[in-house]
Amino acid sequence: MLEMFFYTARGFEQFLLKSNLMGVLFTVVLLLPYVFKDWARFLSLFATIALGFLFNASITFFEVVTISAQASRWVFWCMLIFLFLFCFYRLMTSGKKLRNKGDTIFYVIAFVFGFMDSILHEGVWKPVIANASYEFLALIGYLVGYIGGLIMVAIIYFLVSYALQAILRFTQKEWGLIVSAMAIGVLISEVIKII
């Protein structure tokens, strides 16, 4: 049990690392059209992210597929483009009501993000899991911590969102525009740093 707690803590830390800025940005932009009462919907999206992470982690860790360093660099650039397009989409659809139909695309996006995030941070999670006596249980514990990081970001986001919308009287549309634009700005600054 203590070992499981250790891996859960490692997963929680990994999601909140500075190197996982794209994960935090994606989570915030994914949550834009939701309010806290929609907790079941965004928790199911978080579970889908974790499923994508687990899928890639399983096939990589158990050596079904190996990913080269070159492929990992390509995934980084694909993830930047993917996140930029998602932020741009949220910018364009800001303030529109959520439809119950058509949510499937967001589950696909969440799964793909979890899959790519697992590839990008393989150097962080794989050595931690490799030292475990029961690798699959350690991977599950790691994922529970990863989901805990997602939930923590969601709680902070909803508190800040509620406070700023109440104090500054932002509408949901204005809030969506501001957050999407800030996320695009952060992504552009990351690209400039790399170049």
Side-chain angles (χ1 to χ4, degrees):
M1 190 66 185
L2 192 59
E3 191 175 338
M4 190 78 161
F5 181 74
F6 171 79
Y7 293 111
T8 302
R10 297 294 79 74
F12 187 77
E13 285 173 14
Q14 191 258 311
F15 187 78
L16 298 176
L17 283 175
K18 187 182 175 189
S19 65
N20 200 20
L21 176 66
M22 286 193 285
V24 174
L25 277 178
F26 178 79
T27 305
V28 168
V29 174
L30 184 68
L31 293 173
L32 271 179
Y34 298 103
V35 290
F36 197 74
K37 68 178 181 177
D38 300 322
W39 61 271
R41 289 175 82 182
F42 65 77
L43 281 181
S44 65
L45 284 168
F46 289 173
T48 309
I49 292 171
L51 195 62
F53 193 98
L54 179 65
F55 178 70
N56 177 64
S58 299
I59 63 173
T60 304
F61 189 77
F62 297 110
E63 296 176 357
V64 176
V65 174
T66 54
I67 297 167
S68 67
Q70 182 69 21
S72 192
R73 274 187 240 113
W74 279 105
V75 169
F76 174 77
W77 286 104
C78 286
M79 192 161 181
L80 268 176
I81 293 166
F82 172 78
L83 194 51
F84 181 80
L85 291 174
F86 188 59
C87 291
F88 190 73
Y89 169 78
R90 285 294 197 213
L91 186 69
M92 293 296 112
T93 59
S94 178
K96 292 188 179 170
K97 296 284 181 200
L98 283 173
R99 297 185 320 247
N100 287 335
K101 296 175 183 173
D103 264 358
T104 309
I105 188 68
F106 296 116
Y107 287 98
V108 171
I109 288 169
F111 183 85
V112 169
F113 174 79
F115 187 84
M116 289 194 294
D117 197 40
S118 176
I119 293 171
L120 282 181
H121 294 96
E122 186 179 319
V124 176
W125 63 262
K126 198 170 183 181
V128 173
I129 304 298
N131 295 329
S133 42
Y134 299 102
E135 288 97 356
F136 196 71
L137 285 177
L139 189 57
I140 297 297
Y142 195 87
L143 260 175
V144 168
Y146 187 85
I147 292 173
L150 284 165
I151 292 170
M152 178 133 176
V153 168
I155 290 170
I156 292 169
Y157 165 76
F158 284 123
L159 289 174
V160 169
S161 170
Y162 179 76
L164 289 178
Q165 286 180 9
I167 294 168
L168 301 175
R169 303 279 187 223
F170 288 140
T171 63
Q172 188 69 20
K173 181 176 183 172
E174 292 167 338
W175 178 248
L177 289 170
I178 290 167
V179 173
S180 299
M182 286 173 61
I184 289 171
V186 170
L187 287 173
I188 291 171
S189 73
E190 287 296 308
V191 170
I192 290 170
K193 274 187 214 171
I194 295 165
I195 295 172

